[in-house]
Amino acid sequence: MVERVRIVVNEDRCYLCGGCVGVCPTLAIELSSSSWNFYQEKCISCRICVNACPVGALTAEPLEGEE
Ligand code: SF4
Ligand code: SF4
C-alpha cells in the first residue's frame, strides 16, 4: 500500500505557476490569485506534484497515525 502523505508548500519558494495543479491526477491542489491550497481528502499520495514543482516548493509528510 502507498504510504499516505500530506503535501505541504513552502510559500517562500512557490510562485504560483500552477505546474503542480496541472499534473495532479485528482485535482487535490488548487490555486487562487494569492494562495496555494491542498485538499487532503482528494489526494492519493502519488507524489507527482512534489517531483513536478520546478522550484522544489512541495514536500510530502507522512500521515501515519493522523487519520
Ligand atoms: S501527491 Fe498526487 S494526488 Fe496528492 S496532491 Fe500531489 S499530485 Fe495530487
Ligand atoms: S509547481 Fe511549485 S511553484 Fe508552481 S504552483 Fe506548484 S508548488 Fe508553486
Side-chain angles (χ1 to χ4, degrees):
M1 203 183 128
V2 178
E3 180 193 33
R4 298 264 291 142
V5 296
R6 169 200 298 127
I7 303 301
V8 179
V9 70
N10 178 337
E11 292 179 351
D12 292 335
R13 288 194 187 174
C14 175
Y15 63 109
L16 302 175
C17 71
C20 53
V21 176
V23 297
C24 177
T26 61
L27 306 179
I29 302 172
E30 288 179 9
L31 294 186
S32 73
S33 57
S34 61
S35 67
W36 181 99
N37 300 292
F38 173 64
Y39 298 92
Q40 185 70 61
E41 66 276 14
K42 293 184 182 176
C43 178
I44 56 171
S45 302
C46 67
R47 300 171 188 245
I48 291 173
C49 56
V50 176
N51 295 320
C53 177
V55 292
L58 299 180
T59 308
E61 295 185 348
L63 261 188
E64 197 178 351
E66 292 186 31
E67 290 178 77

